[in-house]
């Protein structure tokens, strides 16, 4: 799998991710990769919150896969290339910065209801003594139609 936000030139391979020892979603050790929460819905499944998360940066690797995610705009297109040459396209409908300690995990990782794509990375202030970034950048996008076999789709409006 691969995730792309063309307007921001975000393009990252996606790998399966589970749960870390501390109970949080595990992220790939390679900051240039995104992780798909494998215990939730898959892209194009038609229901629930499909969660892809990636590092914003790394002290040893530099900028992460979702470094520019905080620049996303309403209307931006997000494409997820799936196995077999299919692509699921989504349109961004919301960008939020939420305190890590108050993330609505039940909503972000829900397995039912209408399908949404949820992209997550770190953001806000970085406080080394307090465990790093204090917030998460959370992007919500809705499906633009059925997954297609072609990987080319028109970019959406640049947003508001």
């Amino acid at each position: 799998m691969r995730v792309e936000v063309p307007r921001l030139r975000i393009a990252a391979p996606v790998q399966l991710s589970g749960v870390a020892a501390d109970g949080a979603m595990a992220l790939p050790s390679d900051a240039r990769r995104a992780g798909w929460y494998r215990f939730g819905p898959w892209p194009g499944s038609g229901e629930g919150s499909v969660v892809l998360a990636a590092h914003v940066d790394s002290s040893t690797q530099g900028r992460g896969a979702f470094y520019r995610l905080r620049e996303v705009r309403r209307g931006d297109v997000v494409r997820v290339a799936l196995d077999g040459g299919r692509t699921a396209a989504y349109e961004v409908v919301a960008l939020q910065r939420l305190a890590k300690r108050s993330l609505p995990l039940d909503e972000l990782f829900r397995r039912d209801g209408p399908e949404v794509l949820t992209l997550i990375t770190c953001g806000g202030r970085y406080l080394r003594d307090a465990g790093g970034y204090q917030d998460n950048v959370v992007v919500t996008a809705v499906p633009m139609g059925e997954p297609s076999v072609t990987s080319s789709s028109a970019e959406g409006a640049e947003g508001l």
Side-chain angles (χ1 to χ4, degrees), residues 95-99 123-125 135-138:
L95 168 67
Q96 303 174 76
R97 194 171 89 191
L98 303 169
R125 292 178 44 201
D135 299 331
N136 281 115
V137 172
V138 178

Side-chain angles (χ1 to χ4, degrees), residues 41-105:
W42 61 92
S45 67
E47 64 181 12
S49 179
V50 178
V51 178
L52 300 179
H55 291 286
V56 67
D57 59 19
S58 161
S59 62
T60 58
Q61 298 175 39
R63 292 180 175 179
F66 283 176
Y67 181 79
R68 296 191 65 198
L69 193 62
R70 66 183 176 263
E71 301 171 36
V72 78
R73 297 181 194 158
R74 187 176 191 85
D76 279 347
V77 171
V78 180
R79 290 192 295 252
V80 180
L82 308 167
D83 288 338
R86 296 180 343 141
T87 299
Y90 299 85
E91 180 180 355
V92 171
V93 295
L95 168 67
Q96 303 174 76
R97 194 171 89 191
L98 303 169
K100 285 187 177 190
R101 66 185 172 278
S102 62
L103 280 174
L105 297 176

